[in-house]
Every structure is written in structure tokens, then in C-alpha cells.
């Protein structure tokens, strides 16, 4: 057997073993949650996440385990992380809505334009790397088609000549579409400007500092956008547009 083929088979075997190991850990965590041993589930899932393995199901199981521990903030944080990987995941959406209601958080549900929702879902299904490879493939087809048309335009019959150039242009447009989708997906995954309040509560103040004027006390599980940082405080913008400063230790980035 040729050496490259042996290497390919070995890589596939390792990937399969890794996938089975991940499924086994997820199954063990679900059993721990079912047996009301959520601490064991959290430990198992965190160790799996520490290896770099991420999936919507992992974050859903982790969120469920934290909810069993009466930590709605950590539950919401993990549901949000899972939805970042798969925006259309119904289980994560339903769990997030339920936990928010249980925590008394009235989140503003802004309906996305259906094309934006489709764009994000398609990017999540394909993945950033697949989009980039498809962009490269269609770009190569466009270049080949354009060069072929230029070099052989006088030798081709009229139908082929007029069909080849539009095809090359279409391939170029498709390449641009996949390139934009891949970049959009990478930008979405790397966005660390959103966070969730994981402390039991936090005091929202008009300026950074424990002596600044107190505006209100925020509940656990609230989602917000990070605007600025100063010392041990961060400036945030809530979903309803209000702004203020809270301790940085009270939150975790999504």
C-alpha cells in the first residue's frame, strides 16, 4: 500500500476515534444530568471543551447542567455560545427562552430580516473553511473560463464563445459570494463584544468606580454589548439602549 494512502487512512481513523470519544463524553454528561449529578456533567463537558471540541449539543448540555445548579447566567452564556455556532438550533433557542423567563429577564427579541437569517444559517452549516475552499474553487473555474475564452475566442463557434464568458463571470460572482460568507462567518465567531452577566447581580453605575452614582442593579443572565474598559470596570450597552459601567468580574464574554 502506498505511503500517502496509509497516512490518509491513519488520519481518518484518528478523526473517527476522536468523534466517537466526543460522543461518549456527551452521552456520559447527559446521563449525569439525568441522574441529577450536574456537577459531574459540568466537569466532563468543560474538560471536553478544553480540548477544543465545540458543538451546539455540547453547549446545550453544558447550559442544562448549569441550570440544574441554579446558575441561570452560566446557562444563558452557554446557550448563547451554542447559538453562535448554529444560529437556527431550535433546542438552544427554546432552552434560552425558558431560562430567561425563569430568571425574569425580558429580552428584546428583534426579528432578523429573513435574508440575514438565511445568510447566517448557511454560513453555519457550511463552515468558514468550506466557504473559503468553495470560493477558491469557483475563482479557479472563473480564471480558467476567462483565459480559455480569451485564447480561443476566434476558434470557437459563436454559441460556445458567448456562453463561456458569462459562465466565467457567474463563477467569479459565486466565488465572491462564498468568500464574503466565509469572512462573515469568521467575523461572527470571533466577535467578543457581547457578554452575559454571570454574577448573581451587578450594580450599573454612571462611571467606572465603586463610588460612582448607582443607576440600578442588574439581574443575573442579562446579555449586553461591551463598549469600553477601564481598570476593573467595563462600559456596557443593554439591549434596550441604556448604558453604564459594571465590574468586569461580573460577566463572561460569549
Amino acid at each position: 500500500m502506498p505511503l500517502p494512502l496509509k497516512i490518509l487512512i491513519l488520519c481518518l481513523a484518528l478523526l473517527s476515534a476522536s468523534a466517537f470519544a466526543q460522543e461518549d463524553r456527551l452521552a456520559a454528561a447527559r446521563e449525569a444530568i439525568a441522574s441529577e449529578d450536574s456537577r459531574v456533567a459540568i466537569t466532563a463537558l468543560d474538560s471536553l471543551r478544553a480540548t477544543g471540541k465545540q458543538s451546539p449539543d455540547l453547549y446545550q448540555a453544558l447550559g442544562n447542567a448549569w441550570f440544574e445548579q441554579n446558575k441561570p447566567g452560566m446557562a444563558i452564556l452557554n446557550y448563547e455560545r451554542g447559538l453562535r455556532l448554529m444560529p437556527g438550533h431550535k433546542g438552544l433557542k427554546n432552552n434560552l427562552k425558558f431560562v430567561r423567563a425563569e430568571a425574569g429577564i425580558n429580552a428584546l427579541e428583534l426579528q432578523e430580516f429573513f435574508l440575514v437569517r438565511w445568510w447566517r444559517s448557511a454560513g453555519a452549516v457550511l463552515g468558514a473553511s468550506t466557504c473559503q475552499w468553495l470560493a477558491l474553487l469557483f475563482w479557479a473555474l472563473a480564471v480558467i473560463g476567462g483565459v480559455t475564452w480569451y485564447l480561443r475566442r476566434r476558434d470557437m463557434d459563436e454559441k460556445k464563445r458567448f456562453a463561456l464568458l458569462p459562465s466565467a463571470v457567474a463563477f467569479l460572482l459565486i466565488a465572491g459570494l462564498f468568500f464574503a460568507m466565509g469572512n462573515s462567518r469568521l467575523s461572527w465567531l470571533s466577535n467578543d463584544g457581547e457578554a452575559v452577566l454571570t454574577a448573581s447581580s451587578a450594580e450599573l453605575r454612571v462611571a467606572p468606580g465603586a463610588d460612582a452614582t448607582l443607576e440600578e442593579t442588574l439581574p443575573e443572565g442579562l446579555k449586553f454589548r461591551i463598549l469600553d474598559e477601564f481598570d476593573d470596570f467595563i462600559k456596557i450597552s443593554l439591549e434596550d439602549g441604556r448604558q453604564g459601567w459594571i465590574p468586569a468580574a461580573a460577566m463572561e464574554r460569549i
Side-chain angles (χ1 to χ4, degrees):
M1 183 182 295
L3 181 59
L5 184 57
K6 290 182 179 179
I7 295 174
L8 177 60
I9 292 174
L10 178 60
C11 290
L12 290 174
L14 290 173
L15 287 173
S16 299
S18 176
F20 281 123
Q22 181 177 359
E23 287 299 323
D24 289 343
R25 291 190 185 183
L26 276 174
R30 291 192 183 102
E31 290 178 4
I33 295 173
S35 63
E36 300 184 355
D37 197 352
S38 52
R39 288 185 180 274
V40 174
I42 291 170
T43 301
L45 291 167
D46 276 337
S47 65
L48 180 59
R49 190 168 65 92
T51 64
K53 304 295 183 182
Q54 298 187 57
S55 71
D57 290 338
L58 186 151
Y59 282 116
Q60 184 177 11
L62 195 51
N64 293 345
W66 278 113
F67 181 70
E68 291 294 327
Q69 286 290 311
N70 294 318
K71 293 291 292 180
M74 292 299 298
I76 290 171
L77 174 69
N78 283 283
Y79 294 147
E80 291 283 2
R81 285 173 173 171
L83 285 171
R84 181 160 290 184
L85 295 178
M86 184 61 68
H89 196 288
K90 291 184 178 179
L92 285 167
K93 283 185 172 182
N94 291 336
N95 287 10
L96 179 60
K97 186 176 182 179
F98 174 78
V99 174
R100 278 179 168 172
E102 287 290 306
I105 299 172
N106 297 318
L108 296 176
E109 294 188 8
L110 301 177
Q111 295 296 326
E112 288 182 325
F113 185 50
F114 78 96
L115 286 178
V116 175
R117 187 167 60 251
W118 173 86
W119 179 266
R120 286 184 177 174
S121 298
V125 170
L126 292 174
S129 59
T130 301
C131 288
Q132 290 172 342
W133 277 110
L134 287 172
L136 183 61
L137 172 63
F138 279 100
W139 177 82
L141 291 174
V143 171
I144 292 171
V147 171
T148 302
W149 174 85
Y150 180 78
L151 295 177
R152 301 187 57 189
R153 65 187 185 281
R154 296 178 181 177
D155 301 332
M156 290 181 181
D157 59 64
E158 188 174 349
K159 288 184 178 180
K160 289 184 178 180
R161 186 169 67 251
F162 282 101
L164 187 59
L165 186 59
S167 298
V169 173
F171 286 146
L172 188 61
L173 292 175
I174 294 173
L177 182 70
F178 279 119
F179 180 77
M181 184 177 289
N183 279 354
S184 174
R185 181 61 180 164
L186 286 175
S187 176
W188 174 257
L189 291 174
S190 61
N191 175 27
D192 62 350
E194 292 183 326
V196 172
L197 189 67
T198 52
S200 58
S201 64
E203 295 177 338
L204 184 70
R205 298 183 180 274
V206 297
D211 298 331
T213 303
L214 175 65
E215 289 193 328
E216 65 175 298
T217 300
L218 302 178
E220 180 179 1
L222 205 62
K223 181 182 176 182
F224 48 80
R225 179 170 293 278
I226 298 173
L227 301 178
D228 198 1
E229 299 182 38
F230 182 79
D231 288 342
D232 295 329
F233 287 83
I234 59 168
K235 185 178 182 180
I236 66 171
S237 175
L238 302 177
E239 291 182 327
D240 60 5
R242 290 175 296 156
Q243 297 182 6
W245 294 81
I246 65 170
M251 63 88 196
E252 280 198 40
R253 296 176 186 268
I254 297 174

